[in-house]
Amino acid sequence: MKKLLIVIVCLIQISAMSQQPIASNSIYVCPPCDNSCDDLKYKKSGKCHICNMELITKGELRNYQKPKEMTIAFYLQEGVEILDFAGPLEVFTVSGFKVFIVSKTTDPIVSQGVLKVIPDYSILNAPKADILAFFGGNGQVAAQDRSIINWIKKQEKSVDYLFSVCTGAFFLGQAGVLDNQTVTTFHMSIESLKQSFPKAKVLSNVRFVDNGKIITTAGISAGIDGALHLVEKIYGKERAKLTSIYMEYDKWVPGEGLILSKN
């Protein structure tokens, strides 16, 4: 009888313990990333098996703040090269950036004579962005428009980064932001960039150049490399790696470009 009572008491204690909530610091969760893994719970630390983010305790979740959503204004001109902007567009949207399209007006523009793009804003009503991006394809000609250059000059002091692909660098050059900077562009436009902006140090045979605030890249696929580098710079290597995996872009090699500043 005594043994039976002991067993009963033990069962009651075990039952009571099972009813008690588990300490929040012993439950691990994925930081909110707007994926299905937001609702998963783990028993130990590590990385989320879905998004690969570092797990945090449920207690830490209360004070967790999601990283700021970065906004990027893609300036597109008539004749812009499709892959110059489409590659980085994929990188930034997959990585969680908010991208909007700006042009001189909101009239449709035609890329390479086949693709019509309707801008979200003109240079007269475009909202502020954290990053301005410029692309090749008629870039040298479009960059001669003083109204566009004046718009860039008004924006450049307030943005976090300036980004160019291919001859998009000519927009930045005309705005004066390439002076005393090390830069690059499309391999067939290296000499032209040197002649147009003698105060800039123009390099060939480099995928991208990071001066800190200003990131210039060579043509087409190099724009994807530069965009992934900027994702890594802002949000970390893990997010950039996940983006490249999602895109099945196995060309990306972190740090392959010329990085003059990590700021």
Side-chain angles (χ1 to χ4, degrees):
M1 185 62 139
K2 187 176 180 180
K3 290 182 178 180
L4 179 59
L5 287 173
I6 293 174
V7 171
I8 292 173
V9 171
C10 289
L11 289 173
I12 291 172
Q13 289 177 337
I14 292 171
S15 176
M17 290 174 63
S18 66
Q19 300 300 318
Q20 293 177 357
I22 301 173
S24 61
N25 284 338
S26 65
I27 299 174
Y28 291 85
V29 295
C30 173
C33 62
D34 299 323
N35 289 310
S36 60
C37 50
D38 283 353
D39 298 322
L40 297 180
K41 295 180 177 61
Y42 298 82
K43 294 182 179 179
K44 58 182 181 178
S45 61
K47 292 186 177 181
C48 173
H49 73 283
I50 293 179
C51 72
N52 212 36
M53 290 180 71
E54 196 72 35
L55 299 175
I56 60 176
T57 65
K58 200 169 182 181
E60 292 172 321
L61 185 62
R62 297 190 190 99
N63 299 318
Y64 179 79
Q65 293 184 339
K66 291 182 70 174
K68 174 188 174 184
E69 181 184 54
M70 300 290 284
T71 57
I72 307 181
F74 271 40
Y75 183 87
L76 304 185
Q77 67 278 359
E78 185 74 16
V80 65
E81 165 74 42
I82 293 173
L83 286 180
D84 271 10
F85 75 86
L89 180 69
E90 178 83 356
V91 171
F92 291 128
T93 54
V94 168
S95 298
F97 292 69
K98 181 180 179 181
V99 181
F100 57 87
I101 308 301
V102 181
S103 193
K104 184 176 180 179
T105 70
T106 54
D107 294 336
I109 59 176
V110 180
S111 174
Q112 292 183 266
V114 292
L115 177 68
K116 286 187 178 180
V117 180
I118 301 176
D120 297 305
Y121 304 97
S122 74
I123 57 175
L124 296 178
N125 65 2
K128 295 288 184 181
D130 298 306
I131 303 167
L132 293 184
F134 301 89
F135 307 90
N138 197 37
Q140 289 175 254
V141 176
Q144 301 298 320
D145 191 316
R146 296 314 304 174
S147 63
I148 298 170
I149 301 308
N150 289 336
W151 175 74
I152 297 172
K153 287 182 176 181
K154 290 179 181 178
Q155 302 288 319
E156 65 98 2
K157 291 182 180 178
S158 63
V159 299
D160 295 329
Y161 299 101
L162 294 163
F163 178 81
S164 72
V165 177
C166 192
T167 55
F170 283 82
F171 287 100
L172 301 182
Q174 291 291 352
V177 299
L178 297 188
D179 291 353
N180 304 313
Q181 302 289 329
T182 301
V183 300
T184 193
T185 187
F186 178 51
H187 65 94
M188 294 181 68
S189 299
I190 292 290
E191 291 305 317
S192 179
L193 193 67
K194 286 180 179 179
Q195 293 173 13
S196 299
F197 311 108
K199 292 183 181 180
K201 181 180 180 181
V202 183
L203 301 182
S204 58
N205 299 317
V206 62
R207 301 289 286 175
F208 65 83
V209 180
D210 178 357
N211 289 276
K213 181 175 180 175
I214 301 168
I215 298 171
T216 56
T217 83
I220 303 184
S221 64
I224 297 177
D225 291 354
L228 285 168
H229 169 68
L230 188 51
V231 171
E232 178 186 2
K233 185 168 180 166
I234 295 172
Y235 289 124
K237 184 178 292 185
E238 200 61 50
R239 187 178 297 198
K241 181 180 178 182
L242 288 171
T243 299
S244 68
I245 291 172
Y246 174 84
M247 293 173 60
E248 296 189 8
Y249 183 69
D250 56 8
K251 168 66 185 69
W252 182 55
V253 178
E256 185 178 44
L258 177 60
I259 304 170
L260 300 175
S261 173
K262 295 185 181 296
N263 297 327

